[in-house]
Amino acid sequence: MSRSMSAAAVGAASALTAVVLRDLFQRKHALLRNYPLVGHARYWLESIGPELRQYIVAANDEERPFTRDQRRWVYASSKKENNYFGFGTDNDLEFTAGYAVIKHRTFTRTVPRSTPEAGHEVSLPCAKVIGAARGRQHAFRPESVVNISAMSFGSLSGNAVEALNRGAALAGCLHNTGEGGISRYHRHGGDLIFQIGTAYFGCRDDEGRFDLAKLRDVVAGAPVRALEIKLSQGAKPSLGGLLPAPKVSAEIASARGIPADRDCISPSRHAEFSDTDSLLDWIELLATETGLPVGIKAAVGDLDFWYELTELMHSTDRGPDFVTIDGGEGGTGAAPLIFTDSVSLPFQLGFAQVYRIFAERGVAEQVTFIGGGKLGLPDNAVVAFALGCDMVNVAREAMLAIGCVQAQKCHTDTCPTGVATQNSWLARGLVPEVKAVRVANYIKTLRRDLLKVSQACGVEHPGLIGSDSVDILTGRTASTPLHEVYGYTPAMGLPSTSDRDEIIRLMATRTTEGGSAPPSESSVG
């Protein structure tokens, strides 16, 4: 009897549940019939989420990848507006582990000028001569420690690339082409670093293999100062790229040396070398045939490659002239989420591990080190220099300077400001001549701030900032010197003695110190 009653109860409950669910289903559809926007509102809100968070929801230091404070500093700097902040920091210094604090000095050997515009037009050359260690024919000292990072025509609009190149010319800095080849937009006065990726765009034959004769033609026909072999990128290491056929315009096809209106695929690996030894052979081939300094760009993952590279550099007369380390927090036009979020080390950790390997093998002074990955902000850049960088590359910060609003639509071809799109209607609002001035202003301001901080640390140049000038907070009551955090010896991170002496000579100021008060008997004159 109880069994039958239990079965009846279950049946009744099931019937009641079915009635309730049917009623809810009918109510939902009635609501959507009467108010169709309700059903789509969540998708609409999601689509404008970045904009809402930037200007309404997020606090000044919460939005990512760049906070409102960081974007405001770039925007104001690019327009030569007031880029100061009032009332003091709103960062949570006391409780933020990993926060970098720069240690100023009371007395220094530098005497900064005191006029309001002091340093804005400062010349801030690299502390090293790229290619000098290996006697490259066209070795040179870059005129700027801040340069524009690799962003290809195709990922960026033609107007954006032209604005960056014109800005590079105005700021006296280098402009990396990205792996997409040299277009007409790259030919507006800015000196170039020609990047060679896995697809050899701009220097490939009809079968997609590297063509040395075409590379020679590229170098002869454009203001190329150096060659960069791209091994990997921080935001998508060991991952090839795809530019779909509708985006492969005649202009993009011409710059890359590929057929128009067909899918453009970049392999995940190079075909011209298969190990570290053959990579070095290829580097020496390119340097010999062009006379240019040749470097490599890579994100940092497994360290075996770097141990092999430095061992071969130590035991042979081969090696790259510069090494660009890209952090995992760096940007990209499009990549799978798993790669942008979880593949390759962040800049500080990755760079420090690689630099330490070079230093321990005794070959760090032969190489110019370039950093990338959110280093277009003064605080991040100072830490990079303290770790051993000789120059920094800026990408998304330069995009912000020419109008990017961090809409995060780079992968959709619908960038609202015309920066990361091939839609000519969207790109027409980006006027290269106007935006070139903006990016030049930003780069000059960043250089000015780097010089100011260098002088606060008691040195003449950011490349001379030692790892003892930065502490990393480990909590409210403790901090650790940067060199201890990353296992540096005290001398690691600085150029050679001769390079230090030369950059001090180049940066020497004519300003004198003192004179308003007579010296005391105990003064050292």
Side-chain angles (χ1 to χ4, degrees), residues 306-387:
W306 301 103
Y307 282 112
E308 293 173 3
L309 176 66
T310 53
E311 185 59 39
L312 286 170
M313 290 176 64
H314 179 72
S315 60
T316 71
D317 59 351
R318 300 169 299 160
D321 299 296
F322 63 94
V323 172
T324 303
I325 297 297
D326 200 16
E329 65 271 58
T332 180
L337 186 63
I338 181 64
F339 278 83
T340 58
D341 282 358
S342 303
V343 183
S344 83
L345 292 173
F347 172 77
Q348 285 188 28
L349 181 57
F351 180 86
Q353 291 189 4
V354 169
Y355 184 89
R356 197 170 63 243
I357 293 171
F358 275 79
E360 290 169 350
R361 289 291 191 281
V363 294
E365 293 178 356
Q366 301 175 17
V367 175
T368 300
F369 289 96
I370 306 172
K374 293 184 73 174
L375 302 184
L377 304 166
D379 52 344
N380 292 347
V382 167
V383 176
F385 281 110
L387 286 171

Side-chain angles (χ1 to χ4, degrees), residues 119-124 444 447-448 451 507:
H120 194 78
E121 298 293 335
V122 67
S123 172
L124 203 57
K444 291 177 182 180
R447 290 195 305 230
R448 180 196 65 188
L451 180 62
M507 297 298 297

Side-chain angles (χ1 to χ4, degrees), residues 459-478:
V459 295
E460 297 84 353
H461 186 276
L464 304 181
I465 297 175
S467 56
D468 60 341
S469 291
V470 179
D471 269 13
I472 303 299
L473 301 185
T474 55
R476 186 172 187 179
T477 60

Side-chain angles (χ1 to χ4, degrees), residues 33 53 69-70 96 111 137 243 267 302 308 314 337 370 379 418 432 439 480 502:
R33 281 196 303 272
R53 289 191 297 274
D69 280 348
Q70 291 168 341
T96 304
V111 184
Q137 180 182 352
L243 194 65
D302 181 73
E308 293 173 3
H314 179 72
L337 186 63
I370 306 172
D379 52 344
V439 73
T480 306
E502 179 61 13

Side-chain angles (χ1 to χ4, degrees), residues 106 183 193 246 267 336 360 379 427:
T106 304
S183 68
I193 292 181
E360 290 169 350
D379 52 344

